C-alpha cells in the first residue's frame, strides 16, 4: 500500500508485483491480476502469471475464470500456451 504497486501504470513493475504476490500466496491481488491479464496479452507477462496461478486450487479456478474472459484478446500462440497450462494443471 505504501508504494501503490497494484496501481502501477508500468507493466514491467506491475507484472513483477503480481508475480511476487502469487509466489507468496497473496490472493488479495486477484482483482488486479484479472485486470492486468485482461488488458495485457504479451506472452512474456501472461505465461509466467498463469503458470504460477495454477499451482493452487483456488488459483486454478481463478485462472479458468480469467482465461475465459481474456482469451479472445490474446494472440493465438498465447491463447494456446495458456490453454495448455490450464489443461495440464487441471488433469493433476
Amino acid at each position: 500500500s505504501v508504494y501503490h504497486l497494484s496501481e502501477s501504470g508500468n507493466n514491467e513493475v506491475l507484472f513483477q508485483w503480481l508475480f511476487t504476490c502469487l509466489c507468496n500466496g497473496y490472493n488479495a491481488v486477484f482483482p488486479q491480476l484479472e485486470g492486468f491479464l485482461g488488458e495485457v496479452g504479451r506472452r512474456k507477462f501472461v505465461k509466467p502469471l498463469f503458470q504460477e496461478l495454477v499451482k493452487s486450487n483456488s488459483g486454478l479456478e481463478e485462472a479458468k475464470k480469467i482465461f475465459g474472459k481474456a482469451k479472445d484478446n490474446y494472440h493465438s500462440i498465447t491463447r494456446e500456451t495458456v490453454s495448455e497450462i490450464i489443461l495440464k494443471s487441471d488433469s493433476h
Side-chain angles (χ1 to χ4, degrees), residues 23-76:
C23 289
N24 289 286
Y26 186 62
N27 296 347
V29 297
F30 280 0
Q32 291 85 1
L33 179 68
E34 182 175 352
F36 183 77
L37 290 171
E39 294 175 18
V40 176
R42 291 195 64 195
R43 191 171 180 264
K44 84 176 224 176
F45 296 134
V46 172
K47 181 181 177 185
L49 289 172
F50 273 102
Q51 285 175 319
E52 193 60 37
L53 188 56
V54 300
K55 289 182 179 179
S56 70
N57 289 334
S58 63
L60 178 58
E61 292 308 310
E62 189 70 15
K64 290 177 187 178
K65 180 182 99 175
I66 292 170
F67 185 58
K69 292 178 182 178
K71 66 183 175 185
D72 292 338
N73 297 327
Y74 293 163
H75 184 278
S76 60

